[in-house]
Amino acid sequence: MAIELDATDWRILKELQADGRMTNIALANRIGLSAPPCLRRVRALEEAGLISGYTALIDEVALGYALTAFAMVRLHNQAESDLRAFENRVLGWPLVREAYMLSGESDFMLKCIARDLPEFQNFVLDALTSAPNVASVKTFLTIRRTKREPGVPIAVTGPEET
């Protein structure tokens, strides 16, 4: 469903991206609408697939997941069926929190969250490197997160101001 966004829609997206727990009344006040038309607009944005869900940002370190690592994976074969098979395998690995197919030297980049280095090492050795079609894996341990800003860079009236 195609939807044409106006300045109000862009403000709604920006506000909800910053605080998805905001009530409809608070959102309506922030963008200068009454609550019923604001809710209609939010529902239209959801139905159009521009808002695909709501989630909480969780402090992984506070929950005991102290290690964030990236794994660059190169496959032996890049036929579509082989790529799909690897993607399906990735979906079943809880330590992998994000996965991207890449162009270039590596075929996939996996963002992994683990409690500690031994847990990540076990995943790499027992699951990742032994998976079918995996040619090589290069891992990178993070030192600290410098920025965490989910979503997209929304200007107040849309992408033309960025």
Side-chain angles (χ1 to χ4, degrees), residues 39-97:
L39 184 58
R40 281 193 298 274
R41 282 177 175 258
V42 169
R43 287 192 175 143
L45 293 168
E46 291 170 345
E47 288 171 13
L50 296 172
I51 299 173
S52 59
Y54 299 88
T55 188
L57 295 176
I58 295 174
D59 184 334
E60 60 271 5
V61 174
L63 288 174
Y65 292 87
L67 184 105
T68 300
F70 291 87
M72 307 301 284
V73 180
R74 192 168 52 85
L75 302 178
H76 289 290
N77 301 307
Q78 291 77 25
E80 185 63 25
S81 60
D82 295 318
L83 295 170
R84 294 258 184 231
F86 183 76
E87 287 173 326
N88 288 333
R89 186 172 295 276
V90 167
L91 295 174
W93 289 329
L95 265 63
V96 177
R97 305 313 301 167

Side-chain angles (χ1 to χ4, degrees), residues 66 128 135:
L128 185 55

